[in-house]
Amino acid sequence: MAAPTEGAVEAVAAVHKVSVDALGSIAKRLIRRLGESKQLLTEEEERQACTTLKLSTAELQALLEFSAYVFEQAAYQMQRPEQFEAHLAATYGVAPAHATALRHVWEAEATGYVNRLRDQHILGAKVLRDTTWTTHLCVAKSADASSATKKTESTAIFQFHFDEDQKASSSSSGGGDSSLAVECSHQELYGFFQKLQDIQRTIDNLSS
């Protein structure tokens, strides 16, 4: 496992300078703004936070950026609360009490934050309308004239058909449908379905 960067070490040091209750409070305010506003705190809020938490401006900024980063990574990796807490401790060396405080925030606010991210990224995206597939068998003869051996390789060809998202097409002159062809060997197809199963298990865990 790679050691935390110097910036991460400084950020965690700032996290540890704040009381557990104060960390939970500012982290909750922060995560509710992620995905909605590019500005984490207003200038006035930053001044008040520095005074209340007894942090320098640089320390507060490091704390905010670190918290935003770990919440964003947790969202994209679909981490469960216990995974999130363990990751903070193992990867960044966050103290147990502070890691637990951030875990409680993630546990309470993850659903809303993930939904905001989903809305952001779906808007303007293509929507899968239909999927068709065919199989292809390639037969190759040996270059050796004295040999009658043949090699066969089977592949699957998927054709994904997309529609433009209705929200995007209503505000854009573009639109229409499109398609994407993907050819997979037997091994590639097996690996693809293994990943789909991993994704399904993760979604099931988050929904439980």
Side-chain angles (χ1 to χ4, degrees), residues 14 38 50 72 78 82 86 91 101 111 113 115 168 194-195 204:
K38 292 183 179 180
C50 285
E72 182 180 84
M78 297 184 177
E82 61 271 19
T91 305
T111 299
Y113 176 42
N115 285 339
Q194 288 291 104
K195 290 181 180 178
D204 290 342

Side-chain angles (χ1 to χ4, degrees), residues 18-29:
V18 176
S19 71
V20 170
D21 290 340
L23 177 63
S25 178
I26 195 167
K28 182 177 293 186
R29 182 189 302 183

